[in-house]
Amino acid sequence: MKILFYIATHKRHEVLRMCLDNLKELSKKWDIDVFCVSSPQDAQIISEYDYDYCIEDNFPLGRKKNLGLKEAMKKDFTHLIELGSDDIITDELLTEYEKNDSAYFGINNYHLIDLRSGRAKHWTYGIQGQEIYSPIGAGRVFKKETLEDALSKGDLWPDEQQRGLDGASDTNMMLRGYKCDIIPFKGIGIIDLKTDENIWPFDDVDGVEYDFKALSAFVKDTVDEHR
């Protein structure tokens, strides 16, 4: 796999650095490039890592992500992985991904930590205790030819949408003939780093309490440095 991570950034510079540090570390083993759609302030940080970016307004977010994706498609890659600027992805998950040859795939669970309080949770897509096999946004993988075909039929995200973008884009993929292949991964794959500036704050996520120390090994910065 020749991986391009596609990231929409907006402020949260402390976790943006943690996200990019993680990808730099993974690039020692994996064939990784990064493309960000960002603000001028974020771009200064992205430049420090020698990653490419384009600058777009953050509102509406759907339009920003659509425009950024069009620029990302000009890059050389076989698989695009969507990631949030506040997300960590693990080597273990990439190892699982390498075994998969689906057109569009991902996982339906993730871990999250509150950097201020040192609390952690694990969340799985579901309702009333029943697991749902739909993807979370972070960590979704698209083969390049899949995206080329899907984008030939329209944008991936609704331009004016500001929230619920993951579900809306997954619906668009299904309407274009691509159902996400959910990888049965139960390890630590995606870690969402929560601060005071998230669309979905830590306390709004109805997850199961989790041991923070089990996740902290994936995050170089200590909790105290972010309080």
Side-chain angles (χ1 to χ4, degrees):
M1 290 195 304
K2 186 176 181 60
I3 301 169
L4 179 68
F5 282 98
Y6 176 56
I7 305 173
T9 74
H10 181 61
K11 299 182 178 179
R12 299 180 290 184
H13 291 164
E14 59 178 338
V15 292
L16 173 59
R17 288 186 181 278
M18 295 166 75
C19 171
L20 297 179
D21 283 342
N22 170 240
L23 296 179
K24 276 294 185 186
E25 184 66 24
L26 289 172
S27 68
K28 296 175 182 178
K29 175 179 177 180
W30 300 92
D31 188 359
I32 284 174
D33 197 3
V34 177
F35 186 86
C36 299
V37 55
S38 71
S39 68
Q41 294 78 16
D42 302 337
Q44 295 177 13
I45 294 172
I46 298 162
S47 295
E48 295 175 19
Y49 291 81
D50 293 323
Y51 291 139
D52 288 339
Y53 61 87
C54 66
I55 295 174
E56 298 291 346
D57 291 336
N58 199 59
F59 299 96
L61 185 53
R63 179 177 180 274
K64 172 183 177 177
K65 295 183 74 168
N66 284 325
L67 292 173
L69 183 58
K70 288 181 173 66
E71 292 300 313
M73 292 298 292
K74 299 175 184 178
K75 302 281 286 183
D76 179 26
F77 63 91
T78 63
H79 294 76
L80 181 143
I81 301 181
E82 185 183 0
L83 206 63
S85 63
D86 53 357
D87 291 327
I88 298 293
I89 188 168
T90 67
D91 173 75
E92 183 183 359
L93 182 57
L94 291 181
T95 299
E96 286 299 309
Y97 278 176
E98 190 177 36
K99 303 171 186 177
N100 192 286
D101 194 43
S102 299
Y104 168 46
F105 58 97
I107 57 175
N108 69 342
N109 68 93
Y110 72 105
H111 294 78
L112 57 156
I113 60 177
D114 186 339
L115 292 171
R116 310 302 183 196
S117 67
R119 296 166 58 206
K121 293 179 182 177
H122 178 238
W123 184 90
T124 300
Y125 226 134
I127 183 168
Q128 296 180 344
Q130 296 298 312
E131 189 171 357
I132 294 174
Y133 294 95
S134 294
I136 61 170
R140 285 189 298 174
V141 186
F142 307 78
K143 280 189 173 181
K144 189 171 189 179
E145 57 264 34
T146 303
L147 276 177
E148 288 171 339
D149 181 52
L151 294 176
S152 72
K153 301 166 185 173
D155 290 332
L156 191 58
W157 295 276
D159 260 353
E160 299 304 317
Q161 199 150 335
Q162 195 66 23
R163 291 173 64 127
L165 289 161
D166 298 337
S169 56
D170 184 52
T171 297
N172 278 335
M173 288 296 293
M174 286 191 284
L175 290 172
R176 292 162 199 180
Y178 298 101
K179 180 173 175 54
C180 189
D181 182 12
I182 302 300
I183 307 302
F185 180 82
K186 300 302 181 183
I188 298 173
I190 297 291
I191 304 172
D192 189 13
L193 308 171
K194 296 295 188 183
T195 61
D196 298 329
E197 297 180 321
N198 288 91
I199 294 177
W200 299 106
F202 181 87
D203 289 328
D204 287 358
V205 179
D206 187 22
V208 177
E209 291 293 326
Y210 198 84
D211 180 12
F212 175 81
K213 291 182 179 179
L215 302 180
S216 61
F218 297 95
V219 183
K220 293 183 178 180
D221 298 292
T222 65
V223 176
D224 287 342
E225 288 175 334
H226 294 275
R227 285 177 174 165

